[in-house]
Amino acid sequence: MFGFGKKPEQPTLEKGDEFPGEAEKVVKIKNLCWMGKMSAESFVGFSEEEQREEFGQYELKRYQSMLLEATNLARELRDEFYRDAALHFIINLLMAAGDEAQAKKLYSVIEVDAIQDAILKDYPRLGAKF
C-alpha cells in the first residue's frame, strides 16, 4: 500500500532539461553577494576620510572583488531562471553599494516575471522609465 522497501521513482530528465552545476553556481553567487554586501554597507557607512583609509579601501576592494566574481559566474549561467535569480542577488549587492544605475541595467535584462516582481517590491524605482 505505502510501498515500503521500494525505491521511489526518480523523475527522468530529458536531455537539455537541466544544466549541470548551475544551481551550485547560483548558491555561490548568493554567498558572494551576501559577503560583498557586508563590505558595501560598511564602505557606504564610512565618512569620506574613513573611505580613504586602509580599512575603507580594503572594504571597497573586497566589495569590488565579490561583485566581479559573482558577475563572471552569472555570465556562465545558461538557464533563464537561474541566471535571473543570480542577477537578483547581484542587484541587491549593487543597491547596497548605491550603484542604482548599474542595478537598473541588470534589471532591464531580467526575463522571469516573478523575479522582476520581487525586485520591484524591494526597489520600485528600478522599474521607472525615465
Side-chain angles (χ1 to χ4, degrees):
M1 176 178 217
F2 291 104
F4 292 115
K6 293 183 182 177
K7 289 185 178 180
E9 286 187 37
Q10 295 294 321
T12 57
L13 296 174
E14 297 296 322
K15 188 171 181 124
D17 279 353
E18 184 178 319
F19 297 105
E22 297 230 329
E24 291 80 6
K25 286 180 184 177
V26 173
V27 170
K28 185 169 184 177
I29 291 166
K30 177 183 179 181
N31 290 332
L32 286 166
C33 290
W34 175 72
M35 291 184 297
K37 187 176 176 185
M38 288 188 290
S39 290
E41 288 171 342
S42 291
F43 184 78
V44 170
F46 291 155
S47 67
E48 286 184 29
E49 183 180 332
E50 290 172 320
Q51 289 178 352
R52 289 189 297 270
E53 292 175 359
E54 184 179 350
F55 186 68
Q57 289 301 300
Y58 167 79
E59 289 289 36
L60 176 62
K61 288 177 184 169
R62 187 169 183 258
Y63 154 73
Q64 291 170 334
S65 173
M66 303 277 179
L67 175 61
L68 180 62
E69 189 174 350
T71 302
N72 287 338
L73 277 173
R75 286 184 179 136
E76 297 174 10
L77 298 173
R78 296 171 288 165
D79 180 86
E80 178 182 280
F81 182 81
Y82 286 144
R83 184 190 63 243
D84 287 357
L87 292 179
H88 187 179
F89 295 128
I90 295 171
I91 287 170
N92 287 336
L93 174 56
L94 290 166
M95 293 301 285
D99 192 351
E100 189 172 324
Q102 189 64 32
K104 192 169 184 133
K105 288 177 188 175
L106 286 183
Y107 174 77
S108 71
V109 299
I110 291 181
E111 299 173 10
V112 177
D113 292 339
I115 295 174
Q116 285 178 340
D117 294 344
I119 293 168
L120 285 181
K121 183 178 177 188
D122 292 334
Y123 312 108
R125 61 189 180 275
L126 292 181
K129 303 283 187 207
F130 53 91

